[in-house]
Amino acid sequence: MNSRKEQLSAFNRLLDIMDDLREKCPWDKKQTLESLRHLTIEETYELADAILDNDLPEIKKELGDVLLHIVFYAKIGSEKKAFDIADVANSISDKLINRHPHIYGDVKVKDEAEVKRNWEQLKLKEGKTSVLEGVPKSLPAVVKASRIQEKVAGVGFDWEKPEQVWEKVQEELTELNEEIKAGNKENTEKEFGDVLFSMINYARFIGVNPENALEKTNKKFINRFQYLEKAAKKEGKELSDMSLTEMDVYWNESKKYFS
């Protein structure tokens, strides 16, 4: 691994390159905070994919892309005389020190849960009026539900045992089934949302990240379905002309390779 001096030198090199690109490259000169936004979101998802795949070389590459965007935003901020990369780094450093009094102060904590509770209480002392203020509105729904539940749990608004949460899941499933039988589409949608919210909460209690779990299932389904497509083509068949029973043969085969 690189020494701290080498790490700082590498970061300084990136800052110099960013200065050059902003001055000389037509595309880079044209970019704004707003124009970079959707690209940053895309890069973040690409990093998330690499993490789920446990592809360390790809993670390194995608981290570089995300770091480039951070440096890019800081460069634009300096041009606006609003902030620069030092302000960005000092801001997060100050926040980390302030929110870790058990490391940089004399506060004692016994476990991770207490650290989280202290974190949320400190944010309220900093001027936030709600523990939910820090949940971005544009987060995907599953991630947003997870963050909402984590944050309210941080101030003690939570179930005590996983069994209680599972009972809530069962209760919501019963209510969903009742609305489906009644044929009420609007209420069915509401109850379906309640089921999902409860399942996401249960995932937290059993130590499962619901976003990661669902995405892994998505990847597994894609791999199995593409195996089915390739197997059918080898037999000179089209899926649209096959029966479900025929497709199930290949689908079950795919489970040997993608579990």
Side-chain angles (χ1 to χ4, degrees), residues 7 82 148 174 218:
Q7 291 170 356
I148 288 170
T174 299
N218 288 340

Side-chain angles (χ1 to χ4, degrees), residues 150-190:
E150 287 171 2
K151 284 183 173 293
V152 299
V155 292
F157 188 75
D158 204 6
W159 301 91
E160 295 179 350
K161 302 175 182 177
E163 295 79 20
Q164 295 172 312
V165 189
W166 183 244
E167 287 177 9
K168 184 62 177 176
V169 171
Q170 298 298 317
E171 176 187 320
E172 296 296 354
L173 282 168
T174 299
E175 292 176 3
L176 171 62
N177 195 41
E178 289 172 355
E179 294 301 338
I180 291 172
K181 289 179 179 178
N184 189 317
K185 293 291 184 181
E186 184 177 348
N187 285 348
T188 295
E189 181 183 53
K190 290 178 181 177

Side-chain angles (χ1 to χ4, degrees), residues 40-56:
T40 306
I41 293 171
E42 182 180 326
E43 296 295 356
T44 303
Y45 275 105
E46 289 177 359
L47 172 60
D49 283 343
I51 291 171
L52 279 184
D53 293 338
N54 196 30
D55 186 339
L56 295 180

Side-chain angles (χ1 to χ4, degrees), residues 22 32-34 73-83:
R22 191 64 175 169
T32 65
L33 297 175
E34 292 78 13
Y73 287 122
K75 177 63 177 177
I76 295 172
S78 70
E79 293 168 356
K80 294 177 177 291
K81 300 192 183 320
F83 58 86

Side-chain angles (χ1 to χ4, degrees), residues 226-244:
Q226 289 178 341
Y227 176 91
L228 189 160
E229 290 177 314
K230 290 175 183 176
K233 283 184 179 179
K234 284 182 181 179
E235 296 290 331
K237 299 176 180 179
E238 294 292 335
L239 292 184
S240 56
D241 297 325
M242 295 170 63
S243 68
L244 187 57

Side-chain angles (χ1 to χ4, degrees), residues 31 70 95 102 120 128-129 143 158 192 229 257:
Q31 300 315 304
I70 293 170
K95 180 191 290 187
H102 53 289
E120 296 301 339
K128 292 188 181 296
T129 57
V143 179
D158 204 6
F192 191 84
E229 290 177 314
Y257 307 104

